[in-house]
């Protein structure tokens, strides 16, 4: 457990309240009344729970004043601002405004997954609009260059700016975790997405794409490991601060003797490292779990139906909702693997199940086989798969909610495991209360079969649920190893001190006796509460909080990348360098805002 000081403790110096050094650094002063910080530039009150709030306001609104870097210049600037003398920020020149517009359009094109050549089309559209609506302003388009070559370079420039900001923030990470996703590239299977989640001393969470690794060039686990370590070193992240790993279920990741996780854990074993927690159930939960419960190759049959509907039934009104859902996921055209993976989602299966009679009628009308509709075992398996995948969908949606911390995610996992036990008992008793689709199939079959003819085989589905239970136990066993840490983090005032390790009991008893902290705990969210907790008074509890907060609590950022790929698979399948692919995925997944003025004026930091 992390609460047991087997290894070196974190050294965290947590400032509380307004800090005097913020005045010169971020041009703010302590307000006369209330909390937060008063900005000397815009005279707005910044609601600040810690330094990041003040920093974000400064970087977003007043980054221009970074040109005053010398100590004397900075002090003089603060004094001028105190007296209300606001230095004018140099306005952008017409050329710089045109460049900024081009950068903004480039980012939009990247977010929408459009090809490099579509910038010229956007330019022509804008030119036509201005000529008809604002003919006197057509000249503003002269300085905007959206040619393919310029667009490609701007994507790289935006990526470099975002990367620089991430690396600057990573220096302050007290703990971090990695998410390794080798299943996002469903159409290619030759890239590994590496995401990082880090927290600073104020427990502000940052989730970003760290790197993309070409698996064809890093085929062996050793080469893959070296590429990840190189990316960590470039970002200034040491293994001593790594807390957790979340991965997919593939053998490349979790192979017992040759998986990447085993290599990473061996590398992280040293007196100065923490126990690295690994769990492999968060990423693509529905997709990968479906392989365990699809007992009769249901998905393969359904995918053939969908191909026929897309080619010969596209105008049929009964299929419009299904086709719309398909196109919203991956466009009008889709390769077989993307289609197969889309069908493995609970929401999709449920929609197709509701259309099974219409699909049968359609298949008969075009002369296609309908043998599955006369196979009672196949129909029961279909209903069972729909029900189980719908339950998994509910869990998957809960695990997509970010910034709730791993303790809440672990509660969802434990609740689902209890639910599986309930489903196991209900199937054994032939109680189909929680199997709506299977119950519907059984009721329909009873109308056409003899009373004494067996319809439902409970043992068949008990085996499937048992297999799913074992998979969950295997993939999330490390979270159970730190169960007490998670419980302490989520409920520090109700956690019984006698059940805590000896090393933390004194701190926990002191915390629970503090009325002021109890009031803060009730009125603030967990992140805010622990951000304000003194590291000097509660070093062990604060250390546990930083580690738990750094664990991935959702699959949101991975799902964002997966969705970006499936929606834009044809654009991304065109020849792209790894550098451009990396840039596009960073732009699509980041929560960091590019520093536009720096990009326009060529002040982008260079990183190795």
């Amino acid at each position: 457990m992390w609460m047991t000081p087997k290894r070196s403790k974190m050294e965290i110096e947590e400032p509380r309240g307004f800090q005097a050094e913020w005045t010169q650094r971020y041009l703010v002063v302590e307000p006369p009344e209330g909390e937060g910080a008063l900005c000397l530039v815009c005279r707005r009150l910044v609601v600040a729970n810690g330094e990041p709030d003040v920093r974000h306001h400064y970087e977003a609104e007043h980054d221009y004043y970074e040109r005053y870097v010398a100590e004397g210049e900075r002090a003089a600037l603060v004094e001028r601002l105190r007296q209300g003398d606001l230095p004018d920020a140099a306005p952008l020149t017409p050329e710089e405004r045109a460049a900024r517009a081009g950068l903004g359009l480039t980012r939009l094109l990247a977010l929408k997954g459009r090809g490099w050549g579509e910038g010229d089309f956007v330019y022509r559209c804008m030119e036509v609009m201005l000529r008809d609506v604002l003919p006197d302003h057509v000249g503003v388009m002269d300085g905007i260059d959206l040619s393919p070559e310029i667009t490609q370079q701007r994507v790289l420039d935006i990526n470099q700016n975002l990367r620089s900001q991430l690396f600057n923030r990573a220096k302050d990470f007290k703990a971090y975790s990695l998410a390794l996703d080798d299943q996002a590239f469903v159409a290619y299977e030759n890239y590994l997405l590496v995401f990082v989640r880090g927290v600073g001393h104020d427990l502000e969470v940052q989730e970003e794409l760290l790197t993309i690794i070409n698996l064809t060039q890093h085929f062996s686990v050793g080469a893959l490991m070296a590429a990840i370590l190189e990316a960590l070193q470039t970002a200034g992240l040491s293994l001593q601060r790594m807390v957790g790993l979340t991965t997919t279920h593939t053998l490349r990741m979790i192979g017992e003797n040759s998986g990447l996780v085993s290599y990473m854990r061996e590398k992280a074993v040293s007196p100065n490292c923490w126990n690295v927690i690994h769990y492999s159930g968060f990423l693509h939960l529905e997709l990968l779990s479906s392989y365990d419960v699809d007992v009769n190759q249901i998905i393969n049959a359904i995918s053939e139906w969908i191909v026929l509907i897309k080619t010969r039934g596209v105008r049929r009104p009964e299929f419009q909702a299904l086709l719309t859902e398909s196109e919203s996921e991956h466009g009008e055209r889709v390769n077989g693997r993307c289609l197969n993976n889309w069908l493995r989602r609970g929401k999709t299966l449920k929609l197709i199940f509701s259309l099974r009679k219409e699909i049968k009628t359609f298949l008969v009308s075009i002369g296609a086989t309908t043998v599955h509709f006369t196979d009672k075992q196949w129909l029961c398996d279909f209903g069972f798969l729909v029900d189980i995948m719908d339950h998994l969908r509910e869990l998957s949606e809960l695990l997509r909610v970010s910034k709730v911390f791993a303790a809440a995610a672990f509660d969802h996992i434990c609740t689902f495991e209890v639910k599986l036990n309930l489903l196991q008992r209900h199937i054994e008793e032939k109680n189909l209360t929680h199997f709506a689709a299977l119950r519907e199939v059984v009721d329909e079959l009873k109308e056409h079969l003899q009373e004494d003819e067996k319809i439902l085989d409970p043992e068949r589905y008990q085996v499937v649920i048992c297999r799913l239970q074992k998979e969950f136990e295997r993939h999330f066993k490390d979270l159970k190893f730190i169960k007490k840490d998670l419980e302490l983090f989520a409920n520090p005032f109700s956690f019984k001190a006698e059940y805590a390790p000896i090393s933390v009991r004194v701190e926990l008893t002191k915390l629970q006796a503090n009325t002021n902290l109890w009031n803060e705990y009730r009125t603030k969210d967990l992140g805010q509460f622990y951000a304000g907790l003194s590291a000097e008074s509660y070093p062990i509890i604060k250390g546990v909080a930083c580690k738990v907060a750094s664990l991935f609590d959702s699959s949101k950022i991975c799902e964002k990348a997966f969705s970006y790929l499936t929606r834009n698979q044809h654009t991304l399948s065109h020849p792209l360098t790894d550098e451009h692919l990396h840039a596009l995925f960073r732009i699509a997944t980041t929560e960091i805002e590019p520093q536009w003025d720096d990009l326009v004026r060529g002040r982008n930091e260079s990183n190795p």
Side-chain angles (χ1 to χ4, degrees):
M1 288 180 59
W2 286 328
M3 285 184 284
T4 305
K6 294 179 180 178
R7 301 182 177 191
S8 59
K9 299 178 186 177
M10 296 176 60
E11 296 180 1
I12 305 173
E13 296 181 1
E14 174 64 35
R16 301 186 67 184
F18 184 88
Q19 303 299 306
E21 61 265 24
W22 293 356
T23 298
Q24 284 207 21
R25 191 181 304 165
Y26 304 121
L27 307 180
V28 294
V29 293
E30 188 171 8
E33 297 180 359
E35 299 179 350
L38 181 64
C39 180
L40 289 172
V41 181
C42 61
R43 299 295 173 179
R44 294 211 309 258
L45 183 65
V46 180
V47 180
N49 296 309
E51 183 177 358
D53 298 315
V54 181
R55 184 180 69 239
H56 289 170
H57 171 79
Y58 174 76
E59 291 177 349
E61 303 290 339
H62 313 302
D63 192 43
Y64 163 77
Y65 294 99
E66 276 297 289
R67 64 177 57 194
Y68 297 89
V69 292
E71 185 175 348
E73 285 185 332
R74 202 71 176 173
L77 173 64
V78 170
E79 190 58 35
R80 289 178 62 184
L81 291 173
R82 285 181 186 274
Q83 297 173 7
D85 181 9
L86 187 65
D88 293 329
L92 294 176
T93 65
E95 293 77 12
E96 288 174 334
R97 287 201 300 270
R100 177 157 180 166
L103 285 163
L105 289 169
T106 297
R107 182 196 187 197
L108 185 60
L109 288 169
L111 287 172
K112 295 300 181 182
R114 314 313 297 179
W116 309 127
E118 295 196 29
D120 285 335
F121 175 70
V122 172
Y123 183 94
R124 290 196 296 272
C125 290
M126 294 174 63
E127 195 174 36
V128 169
M129 181 192 70
L130 285 174
R131 188 179 296 117
D132 292 337
V133 179
L134 297 169
D136 296 337
H137 294 78
V138 174
V140 302
M141 297 293 297
D142 293 342
I144 300 177
D145 190 347
L146 295 176
S147 63
E149 298 77 15
I150 295 296
T151 301
Q152 290 186 55
Q153 185 56 49
R154 282 176 176 159
V155 166
L156 296 179
D157 291 342
I158 294 173
N159 173 63
Q160 180 63 26
N161 184 274
L162 295 171
R163 187 169 177 260
S164 298
Q165 292 188 66
L166 170 62
F167 288 1
N168 286 334
R169 298 182 187 188
K171 296 173 184 175
D172 298 328
F173 288 169
K174 298 298 179 182
Y176 72 90
S177 295
L178 297 179
L180 310 177
D181 185 359
D182 61 347
Q183 287 288 297
F185 281 77
V186 291
Y188 317 99
E189 295 187 282
N190 59 346
Y191 285 95
L192 172 69
L193 297 176
V194 182
F195 300 96
V196 63
R197 175 186 170 106
V199 293
H201 59 75
D202 49 18
L203 267 82
E204 185 196 20
V205 175
Q206 190 82 45
E207 282 188 16
E208 293 291 332
L209 175 69
L210 180 63
T211 189
I212 294 181
I213 300 173
N214 190 325
L215 295 177
T216 58
Q217 298 174 9
H218 302 83
F219 184 76
S220 69
V221 174
L224 196 55
M225 176 75 178
I228 293 174
L229 292 177
E230 181 182 356
L232 290 174
Q233 184 178 9
T234 303
L237 293 169
S238 65
L239 287 176
Q240 283 74 20
R241 288 182 281 164
M242 186 168 72
V243 169
L245 279 171
T246 182
T247 68
T248 58
H249 302 57
T250 61
L251 288 176
R252 182 192 288 118
M253 293 291 115
I254 62 173
E256 188 171 348
N257 298 318
S258 58
L260 182 60
V261 172
S262 300
Y263 277 71
M264 292 285 287
R265 280 181 152 172
E266 286 179 12
K267 192 72 176 177
V269 171
S270 78
N272 297 319
C273 294
W274 298 320
N275 292 311
V276 176
I277 300 303
H278 170 250
Y279 44 102
S280 56
F282 269 25
L283 309 185
H284 311 296
L285 177 66
E286 288 179 86
L287 170 64
L288 297 169
S289 296
S290 67
Y291 289 95
D292 295 321
V293 297
D294 187 1
V295 293
N296 207 344
Q297 301 297 309
I298 307 294
I299 300 299
N300 290 341
I302 295 176
S303 64
E304 294 176 3
W305 299 348
I306 300 301
V307 170
L308 289 173
I309 290 172
K310 280 178 168 286
T311 54
R312 303 179 66 178
V314 70
R315 296 188 181 277
R316 292 187 174 238
E318 62 267 32
F319 298 141
Q320 293 310 303
L322 180 63
L323 293 170
T324 301
E325 174 73 19
S326 171
E327 289 178 12
S328 69
E329 285 288 328
H330 44 233
E332 296 182 3
R333 296 175 298 168
V334 60
N335 65 50
R337 184 173 175 81
C338 282
L339 174 62
N340 197 281
N341 288 334
W342 172 64
L343 292 174
R344 292 185 183 277
R345 299 189 171 230
K347 180 181 177 182
T348 309
L349 276 174
K350 198 171 183 179
L351 177 59
I352 293 171
F353 181 81
S354 68
L355 293 170
R356 64 192 184 281
K357 293 179 181 178
E358 290 83 353
I359 292 174
K360 180 181 179 181
T361 302
F362 165 70
L363 294 176
V364 170
S365 69
I366 64 172
T369 179
T370 58
V371 63
H372 295 302
F373 291 95
T374 58
D375 185 340
K376 65 178 182 178
Q377 185 63 70
W378 191 93
L379 290 171
C380 287
D381 291 344
F382 185 16
F384 175 77
L385 178 64
V386 170
D387 291 324
I388 287 294
M389 293 309 300
D390 194 44
H391 292 309
L392 283 165
R393 175 192 58 79
E394 293 174 358
L395 174 61
S396 184
E397 288 180 354
L398 290 173
L399 295 180
R400 289 191 190 112
V401 179
S402 63
K403 298 185 180 178
V404 294
F405 300 115
F410 181 63
D411 287 343
H412 295 321
I413 298 297
C414 292
T415 301
F416 188 77
E417 289 181 332
V418 173
K419 187 175 184 178
L420 286 177
N421 290 331
L422 176 66
L423 295 177
Q424 183 79 280
R425 290 198 302 272
H426 279 193
I427 277 290
E428 184 180 2
E429 299 165 358
K430 295 186 178 181
N431 179 352
L432 303 182
T433 303
H434 298 291
F435 296 91
L438 180 57
R439 182 176 66 245
E440 192 175 333
V441 170
V442 170
D443 290 344
E444 290 176 358
L445 290 174
K446 283 180 179 178
E447 296 177 1
H448 302 93
L449 299 176
Q450 300 292 332
E451 290 186 6
D452 59 343
E453 193 169 348
K454 184 178 179 181
I455 298 175
L456 184 64
D457 181 7
E459 293 183 3
R460 181 182 181 86
Y461 304 125
Q462 283 180 270
V463 171
V464 175
I465 295 175
C466 183
R467 187 188 309 149
L468 200 56
Q469 287 173 314
K470 290 180 179 178
E471 286 298 303
F472 267 75
E473 183 177 350
R474 180 166 70 97
H475 293 310
F476 295 106
K477 64 181 179 181
D478 270 18
L479 287 179
K480 294 180 180 179
F481 174 72
I482 59 166
K483 183 178 180 181
K484 284 189 177 181
D485 299 87
L486 297 174
E487 291 175 353
L488 172 67
F489 174 82
N491 304 292
F493 286 91
S494 61
F495 192 94
K496 293 184 178 180
E498 58 267 29
Y499 293 149
I502 296 175
S503 61
V504 79
R505 289 180 186 175
V506 174
E507 282 188 23
L508 188 58
T509 303
K510 184 170 65 172
L511 176 77
Q512 293 174 348
N514 191 315
T515 306
N516 292 332
L517 289 177
W518 164 243
N519 290 332
E520 288 185 20
Y521 174 75
R522 287 189 306 162
T523 57
K524 296 180 178 179
D525 62 40
L526 276 175
Q528 292 174 335
F529 170 73
Y530 282 111
L533 192 65
S534 170
E536 294 180 358
S537 302
Y538 306 98
I540 298 177
I541 293 178
K542 186 80 173 189
V544 170
C546 276
K547 295 170 189 175
V548 172
S550 71
L551 292 174
F552 275 87
D553 58 7
S554 78
S555 60
K556 182 179 178 180
I557 190 168
C558 297
E559 290 288 340
K560 192 185 292 186
F562 182 73
S563 177
Y564 181 75
L565 174 65
T566 52
R567 285 198 316 270
N568 306 302
Q569 56 182 297
H570 293 290
T571 299
L572 297 174
S573 64
H574 295 160
L576 286 173
T577 66
D578 289 352
E579 188 180 17
H580 279 103
L581 193 67
H582 192 170
L584 290 172
F585 272 87
R586 187 183 300 283
I587 293 170
T589 58
T590 188
E591 293 184 355
I592 301 174
E593 185 70 14
Q595 295 170 327
W596 299 112
D597 286 355
D598 285 354
L599 284 165
V600 168
R601 291 176 169 139
R603 295 202 305 262
N604 203 36
E605 284 186 41
S606 59
N607 276 298

